Amino acid sequence: MSSMSSMSTVPTVLITGCSSGFGLDAARLFLDRGWRVVATMRTPDLQLLPPSDRLRVLPLDLNDADSIQRCVAEAGPIDALVNNAGIGLLAPLEGISMALAREVFETNVLGTFAMIQAVLPGMRERGQGVIVNVTSSVTLKPLPLLSVYTGSKAAVNAFTESLALELAPFGIRAHVVLPGRAPSTRFGANARPRLEKSTHPAYADFTQRVFAAMSGSAGPVTEASDVSAAIWRAVTDPAAPMRLPAGADAVALSPQSE
């Protein structure tokens, strides 16, 4: 896709995980800039976004194949897919059950696979499209208690780079956006129930020290608007790099920061 002008007259973006944080902010940005927006969330809340005839709010469960197919069918032709939905997990590996590790990979990796597979036939048919996968800057620097979560996001980084080569002959681009630490979002609160299932007594003191260091950090952070801006660039700028760090802390970690 060479530019926005080659898309539909009013282009459509489907964004997953719009109930809060990055997804909600990105949906608002695309609406403000004249796009049709399909905002998805597990439990739709029509009060989160301003009323618009260019907005559809649809239910989506990334772990349910039927839910994915229904959502994409209801959305209609999609010019850009933003895979933002995901789940976090902050815990020592030894305390994490295999069921919980599978849940993280099912949602963060295989859910992303499934969404891409669902939209690709239409994009190939039209000879254009953009896929943006939102991952994390934790893949740029090793951090404790994040082994499973980092593994899931690193997998998305790697498969996106390979996927981009497969899709280029069809006029479809693929990118990753790597947000930094975003304390203003609900990411930590949403991850807490999984943390509580993954405690291990041998790591109790270590875990407390890690949490204390995180809460006391005074360095740069990422705002939701940083991530929305990076997503917008990935979707609308044909010259955008494969990886776009989002947020001052993520940019500082990225060897490709510009």
Side-chain angles (χ1 to χ4, degrees), residues 10-202:
V10 179
T12 298
V13 60
L14 188 156
I15 306 171
T16 68
C18 289
S19 61
S20 64
F22 305 149
L24 181 58
D25 198 77
R28 289 172 176 153
L29 177 66
F30 277 84
L31 274 176
D32 287 345
R33 296 186 178 178
W35 282 56
R36 286 185 66 247
V37 173
V38 181
T40 75
M41 50 193 82
R42 277 181 174 268
T43 305
D45 183 348
L46 300 179
Q47 306 303 312
L48 293 174
L49 289 158
S52 170
D53 58 4
R54 290 181 287 102
L55 172 67
R56 294 199 69 186
V57 179
L58 296 179
L60 175 65
D61 180 351
L62 291 179
N63 296 320
D64 182 335
D66 290 338
S67 175
I68 290 173
Q69 292 303 321
R70 284 194 302 270
C71 177
V72 171
E74 288 186 47
I78 296 165
D79 296 289
L81 167 67
V82 178
N83 284 307
N84 167 73
I87 58 176
L89 178 58
L90 187 70
L93 179 66
E94 193 174 352
I96 297 171
S97 69
M98 289 304 297
L100 191 52
R102 287 190 181 97
E103 180 186 356
V104 172
F105 273 79
E106 286 277 354
T107 302
N108 294 356
V109 183
L110 298 184
T112 299
F113 279 0
M115 285 301 300
I116 294 171
Q117 287 182 332
V119 304
L120 278 182
M123 288 184 176
R124 278 193 299 98
E125 200 173 289
R126 293 186 297 279
Q128 62 181 28
V130 184
I131 292 165
V132 179
N133 295 327
V134 179
T135 64
S136 174
S137 66
V138 300
T139 60
L140 302 175
K141 177 184 178 180
L143 293 170
L145 306 181
L146 285 166
S147 55
V148 170
Y149 177 73
T150 300
S152 72
K153 292 300 187 177
V156 176
N157 289 349
F159 87 66
T160 305
E161 292 180 335
S162 182
L163 176 68
L165 301 178
E166 300 172 13
L167 300 183
F170 300 103
I172 303 168
R173 293 188 284 111
H175 299 268
V176 291
V177 167
L178 300 96
R181 185 172 66 92
S184 64
T185 71
R186 284 170 36 194
F187 179 83
N190 291 340
R192 185 165 297 279
R194 284 178 289 278
L195 165 64
E196 292 169 352
K197 296 177 184 176
S198 307
T199 57
H200 191 293

Side-chain angles (χ1 to χ4, degrees), residues 92 145 195 198-212:
L145 306 181
L195 165 64
S198 307
T199 57
H200 191 293
Y203 298 86
D205 291 343
F206 177 76
T207 298
Q208 288 180 357
R209 290 196 300 273
V210 171
F211 286 169

